């Protein structure tokens, strides 16, 4: 049987408690060791929690199978520029919301939710996926590399400006995903650019929950509806 003096304390608190017990026999340091033990217990219980990692959202994986597109004549090629913003909060990856019943002019970020990339890039990616179903879509910079002899008429250039992209609360338990964009279609000529048409698009879709998850789903649906509206608008423009 091992002697108690060779037993290994389970932790630092046991060690302090053991010394406090021994010191109490002398009577003088009993209170000091008791206080140290109390501080040790308080220190262990007050350790900071592990930081919570923010949830990352995007518009989803897209169609998981090849879509069967109805046989129709292909639409004219189109070039798309980068989606611009007014700068500021729309250029980062925060998931934003507004409390219209408190202060509709204040944008607030969810602390534990992020987009996988800035919203303008997500919108552009979704736009290209949709428009590519019935037409050839070029990057804006690719127009310069097209052979003018084979392509005497360059593709029209589509520019989008993202003006609003947030979850709007009209009441504590009622919110929508709101997107506002301006679409501008330009013709590039030897003499410069010529305006073909412009359209303002405002779409909102109800959120199923008053949190970041509900807001992201509503914004995804609103974005798809806005892109569909732009697609229909482009198809209605006169052919060149």
């Amino acid at each position: 049987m091992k002697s108690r003096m060779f037993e290994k304390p389970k932790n630092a608190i046991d060690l302090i408690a053991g010394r406090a017990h021994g010191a109490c026999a002398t009577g003088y340091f009993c209170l000091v060791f008791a206080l140290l033990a109390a501080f040790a217990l308080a220190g262990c219980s007050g350790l900071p929690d592990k930081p919570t990692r923010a949830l990352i959202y995007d518009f989803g994986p897209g169609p998981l199978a090849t879509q069967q597109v109805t046989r129709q004549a292909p639409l004219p090629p189109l070039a798309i520029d980068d989606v611009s913003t007014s700068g500021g909060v729309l250029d980062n990856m925060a998931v934003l919301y507004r409390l219209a019943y408190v202060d509709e002019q204040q944008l607030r970020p969810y602390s534990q939710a992020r987009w996988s990339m800035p919203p303008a890039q997500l919108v552009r990616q979704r736009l290209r996926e949709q428009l590519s179903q019935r037409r050839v879509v070029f990057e804006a910079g690719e127009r310069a590399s097209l052979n003018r002899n084979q392509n005497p008429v360059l593709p029209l250039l589509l520019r989008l400006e993202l003006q609003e992209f947030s979850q709007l609360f009209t009441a504590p338990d009622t919110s929508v995903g709101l997107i506002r964009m301006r679409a501008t279609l330009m013709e590039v000529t030897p003499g410069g650019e010529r305006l073909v048409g412009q359209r303002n698009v405002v779409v909102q879709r109800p959120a199923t929950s008053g949190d970041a998850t509900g807001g992201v789903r509503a914004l995804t649906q609103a974005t798809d509806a806005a892109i569909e509206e732009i697609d229909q608008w482009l198809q209605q423009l006169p052919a060149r």
Side-chain angles (χ1 to χ4, degrees):
M1 177 176 173
K2 294 183 179 180
S3 170
R4 280 187 172 270
M5 64 181 299
F6 294 107
E7 290 184 3
K8 185 178 180 181
K10 295 180 179 180
N11 50 47
I13 295 175
D14 291 339
L15 179 60
I16 293 173
R19 290 179 178 175
H21 177 75
C24 286
T26 65
Y28 181 76
F29 293 104
C30 180
L31 180 60
V32 175
F33 279 108
L35 289 173
L36 288 174
F39 287 141
L41 287 170
C44 291
S45 62
L47 291 175
D49 294 332
K50 185 178 180 181
T52 303
R53 182 173 298 178
L55 299 176
I56 306 299
Y57 293 95
D58 58 17
F59 288 160
L64 300 181
T66 303
Q67 292 182 333
Q68 299 298 323
V69 181
T70 305
R71 286 184 173 273
Q72 299 180 41
L75 296 171
L78 184 71
I80 57 174
D81 209 341
D82 291 337
V83 177
S84 65
T85 69
S86 57
V89 292
L90 288 181
D91 286 342
N92 60 48
M93 292 171 291
V95 179
L96 302 171
Y97 66 95
R98 294 181 188 269
L99 302 179
Y101 58 93
V102 176
D103 183 0
E104 64 181 8
Q105 294 181 316
Q106 183 178 359
L107 278 169
R108 308 164 189 256
Y110 281 105
S111 60
Q112 294 299 321
R114 298 287 186 274
W115 293 108
S116 61
M117 61 182 73
Q121 295 182 29
L122 286 171
V123 170
R124 188 180 188 279
Q125 184 181 71
R126 199 74 154 188
L127 174 73
R128 179 159 190 162
E129 290 174 0
Q130 174 66 22
L131 298 183
S132 296
Q133 294 182 19
R134 286 195 56 201
R135 68 172 83 225
V136 176
V137 177
F138 294 97
E139 300 289 339
E142 292 176 334
R143 292 179 299 113
S145 63
L146 296 175
N147 189 325
R148 290 182 177 270
N149 294 326
Q150 297 178 359
N151 300 278
V153 179
L154 291 176
L156 294 177
L157 175 64
L158 177 64
R159 291 195 176 108
L160 290 181
E161 180 186 357
L162 185 62
Q163 300 170 328
E164 179 72 23
F165 195 76
S166 66
Q167 182 180 7
L168 177 65
F169 284 84
T170 55
D173 57 351
T174 305
S175 64
V176 297
L178 175 62
I179 181 172
R180 180 182 293 109
M181 294 191 293
R182 180 166 59 231
T184 303
L185 192 63
M186 307 294 295
E187 180 182 10
V188 181
T189 68
E193 295 182 345
R194 182 182 70 85
L195 178 65
V196 177
Q198 191 173 79
R199 186 180 183 90
N200 291 317
V201 179
V202 181
V203 179
Q204 57 183 346
R205 288 293 183 268
T208 56
S209 60
D211 54 11
T213 299
V216 164
R217 290 173 179 169
L219 282 167
T220 301
Q221 295 171 5
T223 300
D224 286 341
I227 291 174
E228 177 63 25
E229 183 176 331
I230 291 172
D231 191 11
Q232 294 299 318
W233 170 66
L234 291 172
Q235 296 182 38
Q236 293 168 7
L237 291 173
R240 298 165 65 195

